[in-house]
Amino acid sequence: MRQSNDFAYDMIDMDMEKNATLFFALKTVSLKEKDGDVLIDVPFQAASYDGVFKDNDGTIEHLTFRLTAYGDSILRFSGTTDSDPLEETSVMLQKDPALTKERLYIERAGGVYRVFDEKGIVRFRLSTEPFKINHWSDLQPPPDPMIEAEFYPDGKVPVKFMSNDHFFPGKFESVSLGYLQYPDEQKKNHTLFSFHAKPEEKFFGTGERFGRLNLAGRTIILENTDALGTNSRKAYKNIPFYVSERGYGLFMHTSAHVRLSFSDISNRAVQGMVDDGRLDLFLIGGGNPERVIYNYRTLTGFSPELPVWSYGMWMSRMTYVSAGEVNGIVDRLRKESYPCDVIHLDTGYFEKDWVCEWSFSKKRFPHPAQFIENMRKKGFYISVWQTPNIGEGNCLYDEAVAHRYLPKKVDSEDMISLSDFSGQNHGGQIDFSNPDAVEWYKSLVKRLLDLGVKCIKTDFGEKIDINAEYKTLPYALLQNRYALLYQKAAFEETAEYTDKPFIWGRSSWAGGQRYPLHWGGDTAANWDGLAASLRGGLEFGLSGFTYWSHDIPGFHSLPDFMNTPPTENLYLRWTQFGVFSSHMRYHGSYPREPWEYPGVAAVVRKWLRLRYALIPYIVHEAKYCTVSGRAVINPLFLDYPDDPVAWNTADEYMFGRSLLVAPIMNDEGTRSVYIPAGDWISLFTGEKISGPGWLPSRVYGSEEMPVFVKSGSSVPVYPERVLCTDEMDMKKTIQLPFDRTYRGIGNSLLGEICDFTEESIKKSV
């Protein structure tokens, strides 16, 4: 159906819910102090819709909202419009112990309220004063003035309700604060809010978005789904948190579906509709994006440090199917000197491909514990795939149904995951809202960990069956939260076996950064897929996540899903991107081992050696990221917030705090590069460059890519060639200075380790 260009239809679905009543908050608000918070009595005017919103016989409902201050940078504005109580705490929240409540005080002068904290800083302002008018016509009826309030989460940056956003009374473009009420008592209210957006204001976050970084001008739905790649508006990882370039962020504490419109349906407002009668908003200050994201993490949790070996190369495909095949792969990796730390077993280690039973095939992996032990002796860790989907052909199905570990079906219609190739009749996803099912699932994961498996790939988790009854949560609140509960369970069980646990997940929700790490999903193995993956990773980092990875060189082939080989050039350039990513995994629907791409295999080996030489730097930067607002990869504006070009650059990024990376994204090997302010040194040529400014487009050979190091940086590197991290003694790490003495990788220790020479770089162009 085409858009109507009407707020009532495009933002709040009045055409789908014709009998809904809109309640919008009026200006005649009153405040009082209670227990250190401020209670706000808000009158809501009822209105029906027939092309314009009209008052329903003057019906007014009074609701109470609470304003709470946490520390000096966070305000919580919360209330409920129906009988459901607020979730004061949830699995989404993990408040930092240092984040304590600040007592708030009210001061009133006439019709203006000001709310102060204990330091005397204004944190909230609300006006009930009437508008000044000079009446001369009755052509239009007088408006119902909407609530007028400004939040100051850090006492500096104002976040203002978008009040009276209409052409004439009743023809709204947004509602500052409101809710939709339905006549059907089984239908929950939906809550609405909007804040003023300045002209050209930019917005970022909300999860792993694959389009433009700046979300302004877009309306999106925060609803986890199997995105089937990276080529659409769909997303595996939706996060109800955004950052504004003005220096504030908003976290919507909910797992309900959320519609967000960023200067789109109204170009002067960022507005949201939450499919729940409860509204729980955390307004987060900080002044710059990194600090805003840090403050968001104080609410929802920080990422833990990961083991050194996780930063090595991971080798996989869909799929290895026997111990003999894997032994052949690892022996050849070692024989031909390709550094590698992890072998991932995807869907084919079970008795039947894709039928996840948390046990190895007795025929193809007859002695799994011994097989995994032998892998460790060769310097390899084992990661394995699994899914929460249990079909009717699964040996665990009857047990799961008997104990209610799967949700109870309440409709004959089945929901089948579109990319599940198992061929099973749909049974259901494990019900992670059921504590007993969680413990049962952990016991299944334990089977694998007891054998020596080190990492669980928590695939899927984006979609659950709408036609089912879950133990403790309704579908509407579980569907987005499901990924978080699923990965939390796998992470916690892994934590019983190591002090640095992690998983390899595809889906997520707010708080998921506590259970790393995540990869970018099933992107296409082409240049479009590479560019979209990078954009997704950068947006994901701006959504509070520290780590992120992607399938090299893309997951699925085109036009033949399984049988079209990625080009050698794509394989090489995506490898380069992987070298400068948080984690580096080859995976896809076609074989991914370097010798399958003989024209570039020798050069790929050099890039893998560079990856291992940089592991000390990656570990060092990742550790900093776990206590700050940074991800391992970040868009340029995080470090250069005063640079307007940086805000509009989505194909370059900072890798840690010292390296600027600009991946090659075309067959020709060409690109131009934007250099931010400061002095920079080319990692490969040693060329000294000062910014801000553009480097003109040129061709980069297979042994070079645009990577620049901040002049004066000292980058920790490993000084010896290794085949895996088992061979690394981190005490041997040295600092490589980037100053006027640096003359390029071919004239440095890195060149000796990786076989990059000045001559080979020139020859490769």
Side-chain angles (χ1 to χ4, degrees):
M1 184 178 69
R2 68 181 181 87
Q3 290 184 333
S4 67
N5 293 323
D6 190 321
F7 162 81
Y9 297 113
D10 294 341
M11 186 66 205
I12 61 175
D13 296 339
M14 290 297 285
D15 59 333
M16 300 179 191
E17 307 290 351
K18 295 182 185 299
N19 295 320
T21 299
L22 172 66
F23 286 79
F24 58 91
L26 298 175
K27 194 172 183 179
T28 52
V29 175
S30 62
L31 279 66
K32 68 178 181 180
E33 297 174 18
K34 184 176 181 181
D35 301 328
D37 296 340
V38 169
L39 299 184
I40 307 172
D41 179 80
V42 183
F44 286 85
Q45 170 71 60
S48 58
Y49 186 74
D50 63 357
V52 295
F53 287 98
K54 297 180 178 179
D55 294 357
N56 279 10
D57 303 322
T59 301
I60 302 289
E61 295 284 349
H62 282 261
L63 299 175
T64 300
F65 284 75
R66 180 182 293 268
L67 185 69
T68 306
Y70 292 100
D72 58 7
S73 296
I74 298 173
L75 288 176
R76 185 179 194 176
F77 179 77
S78 57
T80 182
T81 68
D82 56 26
S83 58
D84 289 341
L86 280 169
E87 285 189 287
E88 294 297 335
T89 61
S90 78
V91 69
M92 292 169 274
L93 293 175
Q94 189 180 86
K95 291 182 186 144
D96 189 289
L99 191 64
T100 56
K101 280 181 57 173
E102 289 271 325
R103 179 173 286 275
L104 296 175
Y105 303 91
I106 300 170
E107 177 184 272
R108 182 176 181 180
V112 176
Y113 293 89
R114 294 198 302 171
V115 175
F116 296 85
D117 63 17
E118 296 174 71
K119 301 180 183 67
I121 297 172
V122 175
R123 305 291 292 277
F124 181 73
R125 181 183 180 277
L126 184 142
S127 174
T128 62
E129 292 186 337
F131 292 117
K132 294 180 180 179
I133 61 171
N134 186 10
H135 183 269
W136 74 280
S137 174
D138 294 316
L139 178 64
Q140 289 290 326
D144 295 303
M146 293 186 183
I147 185 172
E148 275 197 86
E150 289 180 323
F151 300 85
Y152 295 85
D154 59 3
K156 300 174 184 176
V157 177
V159 186
K160 183 179 180 180
F161 271 139
M162 184 64 247
S163 301
N164 306 303
D165 187 7
H166 60 249
F167 177 63
F168 54 74
K171 197 62 178 175
F172 301 151
E173 299 297 342
S174 67
V175 170
S176 53
L177 180 66
Y179 61 96
L180 291 175
Q181 189 176 80
Y182 303 93
D184 182 355
E185 293 183 359
Q186 300 303 312
K187 177 72 175 179
K188 295 297 182 183
N189 292 351
H190 291 178
T191 48
L192 312 170
F193 65 88
S194 68
F195 298 109
H196 180 246
K198 289 191 173 183
E200 304 304 318
E201 185 173 351
K202 299 175 179 65
F203 303 93
F204 304 87
T206 76
E208 191 181 38
R209 303 281 151 209
F210 303 115
R212 297 189 316 271
L213 281 189
N214 179 11
L215 300 173
R218 294 174 63 186
T219 297
I220 60 177
I221 307 296
L222 302 185
E223 177 184 356
N224 282 357
T225 189
D226 187 338
L228 301 176
T230 60
N231 57 316
S232 74
R233 69 175 67 182
K234 299 190 291 288
Y236 306 98
K237 310 170 189 66
N238 291 274
I239 309 300
F241 166 68
Y242 72 79
V243 181
S244 164
E245 68 167 325
R246 290 203 297 114
Y248 84 91
L250 180 71
F251 169 49
M252 294 144 276
H253 177 217
T254 182
S255 59
H257 296 166
V258 178
R259 175 175 291 157
L260 287 174
S261 180
F262 294 96
S263 304
D264 181 20
I265 291 173
S266 168
N267 61 27
R268 54 188 170 188
V270 52
Q271 53 186 311
M273 179 173 74
V274 182
D275 290 2
D276 191 10
R278 299 168 293 185
L279 188 66
D280 195 4
L281 305 180
F282 287 86
L283 295 104
I284 304 169
N288 63 67
E290 182 175 345
R291 191 64 187 178
V292 171
I293 296 168
Y294 169 83
N295 290 333
Y296 166 73
R297 289 176 173 178
T298 65
L299 281 172
T300 59
F302 291 81
S303 302
E305 293 181 41
L306 303 185
V308 171
W309 61 265
S310 73
Y311 298 104
M313 188 265 274
W314 296 45
M315 181 54 66
S316 175
R317 64 163 84 155
M318 192 181 83
T319 176
Y320 300 130
V321 296
S322 72
E325 182 182 33
V326 175
N327 276 305
I329 295 293
V330 302
D331 289 346
R332 188 167 180 181
L333 285 168
R334 290 291 184 254
K335 181 180 179 181
E336 298 184 16
S337 299
Y338 294 103
C340 182
D341 266 78
V342 184
I343 296 295
H344 172 70
L345 305 181
D346 215 54
T347 64
Y349 69 96
F350 309 114
E351 287 294 348
K352 182 180 178 182
D353 192 11
W354 279 90
V355 178
C356 175
E357 296 174 335
W358 287 271
S359 59
F360 283 77
S361 166
K362 294 179 180 178
K363 294 179 181 178
R364 290 175 285 109
F365 291 88
H367 306 290
Q370 182 179 336
F371 162 75
I372 294 171
E373 183 181 356
N374 289 339
M375 288 294 106
R376 277 301 302 125
K377 290 177 181 177
K378 296 177 180 181
F380 294 93
Y381 293 87
I382 295 296
S383 163
V384 298
W385 178 91
Q386 47 94 92
T387 170
N389 305 330
I390 296 181
E392 293 181 5
N394 193 307
C395 70
L396 299 167
Y397 178 74
D398 290 342
E399 177 186 2
V401 171
H403 291 87
R404 189 64 165 75
Y405 300 146
L406 300 182
K408 181 182 177 182
K409 291 185 181 181
V410 295
D411 194 286
S412 60
E413 211 176 308
D414 287 336
M415 189 284 291
I416 300 174
S417 175
L418 293 177
S419 62
D420 185 338
F421 304 116
S422 67
Q424 301 173 92
N425 290 327
H426 177 68
Q429 295 88 9
I430 297 172
D431 183 359
F432 286 100
S433 78
N434 178 356
D436 293 335
V438 170
E439 293 307 310
W440 180 69
Y441 167 74
K442 287 183 175 182
S443 73
L444 300 177
V445 170
K446 186 177 187 299
R447 293 182 186 180
L448 299 172
L449 299 175
D450 282 344
L451 294 172
V453 167
K454 293 297 182 182
C455 177
I456 302 297
K457 177 178 173 180
T458 51
D459 206 356
F460 295 94
E462 304 91 0
K463 296 173 69 173
I464 60 174
D465 196 340
I466 192 172
N467 301 306
E469 181 181 296
Y470 298 90
K471 187 74 173 181
T472 61
L473 284 171
Y475 167 85
L477 296 180
L478 179 60
Q479 196 253 329
N480 283 331
R481 197 179 310 203
Y482 186 87
L484 188 62
L485 297 172
Y486 169 32
Q487 292 169 5
K488 178 177 183 286
F491 185 92
E492 288 177 345
E493 187 60 30
T494 306
E496 297 294 319
Y497 292 77
T498 175
D499 61 346
K500 290 185 177 179
F502 66 99
I503 50 96
W504 188 277
R506 191 173 75 172
S507 54
S508 198
W509 189 252
Q513 69 272 14
R514 304 192 303 264
Y515 313 117
L517 62 113
H518 298 82
W519 97 100
D522 298 341
T523 188
N526 58 25
W527 298 113
D528 293 336
L530 195 162
S533 292
L534 173 56
R535 293 192 298 266
L538 293 175
E539 203 82 86
F540 193 52
L542 295 171
S543 305
F545 287 73
T546 297
Y547 310 101
W548 173 82
S549 189
H550 45 89
D551 289 344
I552 304 171
F555 174 73
H556 73 94
S557 299
L558 287 171
D560 189 307
F561 189 95
M562 297 293 294
N563 301 306
T564 300
T567 67
E568 291 189 335
N569 201 13
L570 180 73
Y571 185 88
L572 171 66
R573 295 303 189 182
W574 210 313
T575 291
Q576 294 172 350
F577 174 36
V579 167
F580 297 97
S581 299
S582 157
H583 288 77
M584 184 179 189
R585 185 183 77 155
Y586 291 90
H587 183 64
S589 62
Y590 185 88
R592 293 298 191 247
E593 296 75 32
W595 49 83
E596 299 286 345
Y597 308 84
V600 297
V603 181
V604 164
R605 184 188 294 111
K606 296 183 180 185
W607 287 96
L608 292 176
R609 287 171 177 167
L610 177 59
R611 169 70 179 193
Y612 276 73
L614 290 173
I615 283 179
Y617 172 75
I618 300 169
V619 171
H620 180 266
E621 292 301 301
K623 184 175 183 179
Y624 177 80
C625 291
T626 63
V627 296
S628 71
R630 296 183 72 89
V632 176
I633 69 168
N634 296 284
L636 301 186
F637 69 74
L638 206 76
D639 291 278
Y640 301 93
D642 297 325
D643 185 339
V645 178
W647 285 94
N648 292 289
T649 301
D651 61 353
E652 303 176 22
Y653 59 94
M654 294 298 298
F655 183 54
R657 289 166 291 174
S658 298
L659 273 61
L660 185 156
V661 179
I664 301 295
M665 299 187 186
N666 55 64
D667 275 317
E668 295 74 26
T670 61
R671 72 162 297 154
S672 57
V673 182
Y674 180 70
I675 302 294
D679 296 325
W680 300 81
I681 300 172
S682 168
L683 174 66
F684 288 90
T685 68
E687 180 183 4
K688 313 300 188 293
I689 301 165
S690 294
W694 285 92
L695 298 182
S697 178
R698 75 171 179 87
V699 176
Y700 290 83
S702 62
E703 296 196 15
E704 186 188 359
M705 69 179 293
V707 178
F708 299 89
V709 188
K710 285 184 180 178
S711 182
S713 297
S714 182
V715 175
V717 299
Y718 198 74
E720 298 174 1
R721 185 178 297 177
V722 298
L723 290 175
C724 63
T725 56
D726 284 354
E727 298 177 2
M728 298 175 73
D729 177 359
M730 298 301 271
K731 294 178 181 177
K732 293 182 179 180
T733 297
I734 65 168
Q735 299 293 324
L736 183 62
F738 283 83
D739 53 27
R740 60 183 178 82
T741 66
Y742 183 79
R743 295 185 297 116
I745 196 170
N747 297 293
S748 72
L749 176 64
L750 284 178
E752 296 176 19
I753 298 168
C754 307
D755 279 342
F756 287 114
T757 66
E758 208 169 11
E759 292 73 21
S760 67
I761 291 172
K762 291 177 181 178
K763 185 178 179 180
S764 74
V765 175

